[in-house]
Amino acid sequence: MKQKRKQLPEEQQPADGKLLQWHPAFYADLQIEFREETEKLKFEREYLLSSKPMAIDVLIIKKKDAEPIHKNIGKIFRKYNIIEYKSPSDSLSVDDFYKVYGYTNFYKADTGKVNEIPIQELTITLVSKRYPRELIRHLKEVRHYTIDNPEEGIYYVIGDILPIQILVTNRLSPEKNLWLYSLTDTLKDMSVTRQLLEDYKKNKDDQLYQAVMEIIVKANENRLKEGKRDMCNALLELMKDELDEKREEGEALGENRINQLILKLSELNRTDEILKAAADREYQKKLLKEFGL
């Protein structure tokens, strides 16, 4: 009997009815997190382990073995780094651990040459929004591992030949891991949202940032609407440069009109279009004309 697809929680259903694509956003997010050391790393998405549908979520390969990675979530990295990501509505289970552990061993063995990838060159990273209590208990009581928590949201699994870490995104430091912390459907802290918008403002022409911000906005539409006033002020600040430039060009749209546009889009559940309008002047003009502002 064919199993029914698991229904997502109500807050996971966007207004247009389309399922949110968390994994592509996570792939882009990782590249943002490692932006200061990107020249050291090669990123591969959904690395196929065989001709059958069995794939690693993300494979990160260090370009130079001897170069250490300084980013907090990459300090354990060796040459080949296997990443498993769980979307905010999913959880990290005991079986997920064994699946990824098996994938890692298969990746090591499926090279066509004996011991081409030494086991000492591999690491495993498991990423989940929520703390995987049952998995941690299993690792301690059944596998007899110890768990070290060097900093917020990062848990090292000690006792295996493979370096293993678990990243709990809602416990990560927003100061150190702003984008990974914000890749969630429960964005609550407006100060974090403001930090996110400020960083996005500096990088809004980068497709990686656009991909991550789009999913964050869509996943948090209702929450952003609840903090409408604060959100509008933050978005106005994001659009300040564009407003200043327009004044210099003699177009002078005015903050009041932009504020009205933001409120209108928010009321119509078209929140993601606010960011597009901030980055695209022609699209902003089109929306202002559409609403007669």
Side-chain angles (χ1 to χ4, degrees), residues 161-203:
I161 190 172
L162 292 171
I164 302 170
Q165 68 176 349
I166 298 171
L167 305 180
V168 180
T169 57
N170 70 356
R171 296 188 179 187
L172 288 171
S173 163
E175 287 72 32
K176 294 183 180 180
N177 306 102
L178 176 62
W179 286 84
L180 199 50
Y181 173 86
S182 302
L183 189 62
T184 180
D185 55 357
T186 53
L187 195 59
K188 299 175 182 178
D189 191 334
M190 283 307 300
S191 66
V192 172
T193 305
R194 284 179 175 277
Q195 290 177 49
L196 194 69
L197 288 168
E198 281 298 318
D199 202 38
Y200 179 76
K201 180 179 177 181
K202 300 171 190 173
N203 301 280

Side-chain angles (χ1 to χ4, degrees), residues 95-280:
D95 284 344
D96 288 321
F97 170 81
Y98 285 103
K99 179 191 74 173
V100 179
Y101 198 93
Y103 282 4
T104 304
N105 283 277
F106 189 90
Y107 174 75
K108 182 248 182 294
D110 191 43
T111 59
K113 184 179 177 182
V114 175
N115 208 32
E116 183 176 354
I117 299 177
I119 193 69
Q120 296 89 342
E121 292 186 353
L122 287 154
T123 75
I124 295 174
T125 297
L126 306 167
V127 185
S128 174
K129 172 186 169 182
R130 293 184 289 273
Y131 181 77
R133 201 166 304 281
E134 285 302 310
L135 173 58
I136 295 294
R137 183 193 61 77
H138 177 87
L139 294 176
K140 288 179 177 179
E141 296 180 5
V142 178
R143 302 285 298 197
H144 303 295
Y145 294 153
T146 57
I147 307 298
D148 187 24
N149 182 202
E151 62 177 272
E152 295 174 275
I154 300 177
Y155 300 85
Y156 291 160
V157 179
I158 311 296
D160 197 280
I161 190 172
L162 292 171
I164 302 170
Q165 68 176 349
I166 298 171
L167 305 180
V168 180
T169 57
N170 70 356
R171 296 188 179 187
L172 288 171
S173 163
E175 287 72 32
K176 294 183 180 180
N177 306 102
L178 176 62
W179 286 84
L180 199 50
Y181 173 86
S182 302
L183 189 62
T184 180
D185 55 357
T186 53
L187 195 59
K188 299 175 182 178
D189 191 334
M190 283 307 300
S191 66
V192 172
T193 305
R194 284 179 175 277
Q195 290 177 49
L196 194 69
L197 288 168
E198 281 298 318
D199 202 38
Y200 179 76
K201 180 179 177 181
K202 300 171 190 173
N203 301 280
K204 63 187 177 185
D205 294 327
D206 189 314
Q207 291 185 347
L208 293 175
Y209 287 82
Q210 291 170 11
V212 180
M213 186 59 102
E214 181 180 0
I215 197 80
I216 291 172
V217 171
K218 284 184 176 180
N220 292 278
E221 279 183 344
N222 292 332
R223 295 177 189 279
L224 295 180
K225 280 165 56 180
E226 288 169 6
K228 190 180 296 182
R229 180 177 296 176
D230 288 337
M231 190 63 182
C232 287
N233 290 335
L235 288 165
L236 275 170
E237 186 62 29
L238 172 65
M239 299 169 84
K240 184 177 184 298
D241 290 344
E242 285 75 11
L243 289 168
D244 289 343
E245 287 175 21
K246 289 179 187 301
R247 289 192 187 94
E248 291 173 8
E249 294 168 5
E251 296 180 15
L253 293 173
E255 289 191 10
N256 187 48
R257 293 172 68 196
I258 298 298
N259 201 357
Q260 290 178 52
L261 175 61
I262 292 170
L263 288 170
K264 193 71 177 176
L265 290 171
S266 181
E267 288 168 358
L268 295 173
N269 291 324
R270 292 165 60 178
T271 322
D272 54 314
E273 293 182 72
I274 296 172
L275 294 168
K276 186 176 179 182
D280 187 333

